[in-house]
Amino acid sequence: MTGGDGRRPSALIISGASWNRMVRVPELPRGGPQTIFAEGSHEALGSSGAGKALNLRVCGMEAALWCRLGRDEPGRRVREALSRAGVEALVEDDPAGTMEHVNLMDPAGGRVSVFVVRGSLDEPVGEPWRSELIRRAVGADVVAVTIFEQTRSLLAPLRAAGVPLWVDVHDHDGVDPYHRDYVEAASFLQLSSVAMPGWRSFAEGRVRAGATAVVCTHGADGASVVTAEGWVEVPAVPVAEVVDTNGAGDAFFAGFASGWVAGLDVLTCARRGAERAAAAVGSWELA
């Protein structure tokens, strides 16, 4: 995938990365003490930023991921996984340690995430990384910001620098004030409809407010995209066997974004997103 000038489009993801253990259980735990016999488990690179970076690389884009990692074994594994995928790791040392999650997964794709090690998610990005990330963002084709508190202070300066921001608010309910800054800063907004009955009017409102495109994913029911030209609907791509739903939304994001920067029409971009999401759920890895 190359642009008209012969170079590969580039993406900067300002986010995080974690080392995860996925534990497959027959059903998610309900209230009260209980014993659960797992049906299997595996470890892999995790977190939404890493998922976007890996999938953007698969889509043919150069990708750089800013994240905080500890000088520990999980951090070493994260660095190695990013390197194998061809992702440039922009790493700030985290004295609180590398994020670690345990995700309980049921056969239907339901998930309970336990943050075993939280890392410094609430510490704002400071110098010299603040200036470096803004400099890199100005020259990137896609700049994605994850909704971790550590990135909030970058929203205003990135917008002031004229950078269109790609933001995924995941299962935002349309009300939670935590997400407001990210929603309002996004030129390209993605969300899941799972927690938002009024997703359609919410998305249309964001386009009226100036967003270029809003992507609403519906899991097995496909996705919808609205721009100033109206709505586009795409079905989910059938999958023979759903192995692991972790990273499906990030994969859709990457397929759509890579198509957009290549100048493809909205419907084709959305179809690329659906194809990437199907590939992700059929794999134990994020991409």
Side-chain angles (χ1 to χ4, degrees):
M1 178 180 180
T2 58
D5 56 3
R7 70 173 183 87
R8 283 191 175 191
S10 64
L12 172 66
I13 302 93
I14 305 171
S15 181
S18 63
W19 192 251
N20 291 1
R21 175 180 287 275
M22 273 64 73
V23 181
R24 300 183 294 281
V25 295
E27 62 179 7
L28 296 179
R30 305 182 188 279
Q34 58 193 286
T35 298
I36 299 175
F37 291 93
E39 297 176 337
S41 68
H42 69 282
E43 295 184 9
L45 177 63
S47 196
S48 181
K52 289 178 172 60
L54 265 61
N55 277 282
L56 286 164
R57 283 293 295 139
V58 171
C59 291
M61 295 183 66
E62 299 292 344
L65 170 66
W66 177 88
C67 58
R68 287 180 170 137
L69 299 175
R71 293 180 177 271
D72 46 28
E73 180 60 19
R76 184 188 67 78
R77 293 181 179 183
V78 169
R79 287 177 172 87
E80 288 184 351
L82 293 173
S83 178
R84 285 195 303 270
V87 173
E88 182 184 4
L90 309 175
V91 177
E92 180 178 346
D93 285 338
D94 193 340
T98 301
M99 280 196 295
E100 295 182 68
H101 305 165
V102 173
N103 293 341
L104 303 183
M105 305 291 301
D106 70 14
R111 179 177 67 186
V112 171
S113 293
V114 180
F115 279 55
V116 179
V117 178
R118 178 181 173 82
S120 300
L121 287 180
D122 296 330
E123 294 295 323
V125 177
E127 296 296 352
W129 276 113
R130 179 185 174 96
S131 297
E132 173 65 9
L133 291 174
I134 293 171
R135 182 190 70 79
R136 283 176 171 257
V138 170
D141 297 290
V142 170
V143 178
V145 179
T146 293
I147 54 171
F148 289 150
E149 185 63 34
Q150 62 190 7
T151 68
R152 191 183 300 271
S153 64
L154 287 175
L155 298 176
L158 285 169
R159 290 302 301 269
V163 177
L165 297 182
W166 294 70
V167 180
D168 182 355
V169 291
H170 303 282
D171 56 354
H172 176 42
D173 61 5
V175 179
D176 190 342
Y178 178 91
H179 300 79
R180 184 175 300 121
D181 291 342
Y182 293 94
V183 168
E184 294 178 353
S187 296
F188 299 85
L189 182 66
Q190 179 168 310
L191 58 97
S192 165
S193 65
V194 64
M196 193 187 296
W199 57 269
R200 188 173 288 271
S201 60
F202 177 86
E204 291 172 343
R206 293 318 308 161
V207 171
R208 287 195 299 272
T212 302
V214 180
V215 176
C216 303
T217 61
H218 317 301
D221 293 324
S224 309
V225 184
V226 64
T227 65
E229 284 69 47
W231 284 95
V232 166
E233 311 285 342
V234 294
V237 173
V239 178
E241 180 184 6
V242 175
V243 173
D244 181 2
T245 57
N246 282 291
D250 299 323
F252 191 104
F253 179 101
F256 184 90
S258 62
W260 187 277
V261 300
L264 303 180
D265 63 85
V266 176
L267 179 58
T268 303
C269 291
R271 285 172 173 164
R272 283 169 61 102
E275 290 167 358
R276 288 306 318 148
V281 301
S283 165
W284 293 118
E285 303 295 332
L286 293 173

